[in-house]
Amino acid sequence: MKMPDLEQIEWRVSEECVPYREALAAMEARNASIQAGTARELLWQLEHPPVYTAGTSAAASELLDPRFEVVEAGRGGRYTYHGPGQRVTYVLLDLRERGKDVRRFVHALEGWAIGALAQLGVECWTVPERVGIWTKGPDGREAKIGAIGVRVRRWVTMHGFAVNLDPDLSHFTGIVPCGIEEFGVTSLADLGIALAPAAWDEALYAAAPDFLEALQRQDA
C-alpha cells in the first residue's frame, strides 16, 4: 500500500463555482485515468451553482420543490443540495493502493470532516442510522452540517463530502435532505462562525495526513 503522502496527490482548488454536470464529467474522466494509471489521485475543493442531486436511493416523494436543476449523480444516497456557500470536497483515490476497504474509506472521510471542524471549535459527530455530519444547531437540537456520498468504481473513489459554510439554508427546503425529515440543516454561519472558503480549505489540508493515515489502518 502507498504511504500516506499528500504530495503524491493533486490538490485542486476551484475559485469559481463549477456547474455540477461539468464537475461530474471531470470526475468520471479522472476516475478512468486513475484506474488506467495515467493520472494522479485527486482531492478537489469547489462550490457549485444551486443544484439538487439525486443519489441511487433517491425517492421521488423527497423532491418537494424542484426550483433548481436536478441531476442524477450516480453516487450512493438520496437527494442533496449543493450551492454557493457550501464547500464540496471530491475525493478520487485508488483504494487498490490504500487498503481496498470501502467501509474504512467512508469512516475516514467522516473523520476528516469532523477533524477539520474540530479545529474551528465545532464539535461534530456521526450517527449510525443517519448519514452525514451532525452538530448542535442554534436551537440546541441536532442538525446536519455536512453531507457524504461516495461511489467506488473498480476500487477508485468518486464524489466525497460537502460542508455548509454559509449557504442559503432556505434552498434545502426543496428536498428532504438525505431522506431525513425530522432534523434540520445548519451551517457555520448559522452557528455564528464566519469562515472564508480558503480558511476551510486550509483546515482540511492540515487534517488530510490523518485522513490518509486512517486509510492504512487495519483496525479502522
Side-chain angles (χ1 to χ4, degrees):
M1 291 187 289
K2 292 181 181 177
M3 294 301 293
D5 183 0
L6 192 55
E7 293 181 358
Q8 297 173 355
I9 302 169
E10 179 185 353
W11 182 276
R12 182 186 302 174
V13 178
S14 294
E15 303 294 342
E16 303 295 330
C17 283
V18 179
Y20 187 81
R21 290 185 187 276
E22 179 181 321
L24 184 59
M27 271 197 292
E28 290 175 343
R30 185 61 168 256
N31 179 283
S33 295
I34 293 170
Q35 288 177 36
T38 58
R40 288 194 294 162
E41 297 168 304
L42 173 67
L43 301 173
W44 187 7
Q45 301 293 116
L46 72 160
E47 296 178 22
H48 294 299
V51 63
Y52 295 133
T53 69
T56 53
S57 301
S61 62
E62 294 167 358
L63 181 60
L64 307 177
D65 176 11
R67 70 191 83 161
F68 304 121
E69 181 183 20
V70 180
V71 179
E72 299 285 339
R75 55 161 174 78
R78 296 162 95 158
Y79 282 107
T80 299
Y81 166 76
H82 295 306
Q86 183 196 71
R87 202 67 171 160
V88 181
T89 303
Y90 287 136
V91 181
L92 288 90
L93 295 180
D94 188 348
L95 296 187
R96 294 172 299 185
E97 301 293 339
R98 297 185 184 275
K100 293 183 78 170
D101 188 322
V102 176
R103 185 185 298 270
R104 185 190 304 161
F105 169 68
V106 173
H107 287 170
L109 274 186
E110 293 169 340
W112 188 14
I114 289 170
L117 286 161
Q119 291 181 44
L120 306 171
V122 181
E123 183 183 3
C124 297
W125 53 85
T126 59
V127 180
E129 64 272 17
R130 285 188 258 130
V131 178
I133 305 298
W134 299 84
T135 190
K136 283 188 178 178
D139 61 0
R141 297 185 69 239
E142 275 190 297
K144 177 178 279 192
I145 196 169
I148 290 180
V150 302
R151 180 181 180 188
V152 180
R153 186 167 62 186
R154 296 180 182 174
W155 292 110
V156 177
T157 67
M158 293 174 61
H159 302 281
F161 61 92
V163 171
N164 300 328
L165 305 186
D166 188 16
D168 185 336
L169 294 180
S170 71
H171 289 179
F172 286 89
T173 61
I175 58 172
V176 177
C178 300
I180 303 171
E181 294 185 88
E182 60 269 37
F183 295 93
V185 177
T186 191
S187 66
L188 290 180
D190 196 35
L191 299 175
I193 300 172
L195 190 74
W200 171 246
D201 294 349
E202 289 173 6
L204 274 181
Y205 192 86
D210 289 340
F211 160 65
L212 294 176
E213 183 180 354
L215 293 180
Q216 311 298 114
R217 295 181 192 143
Q218 297 301 316
D219 59 347

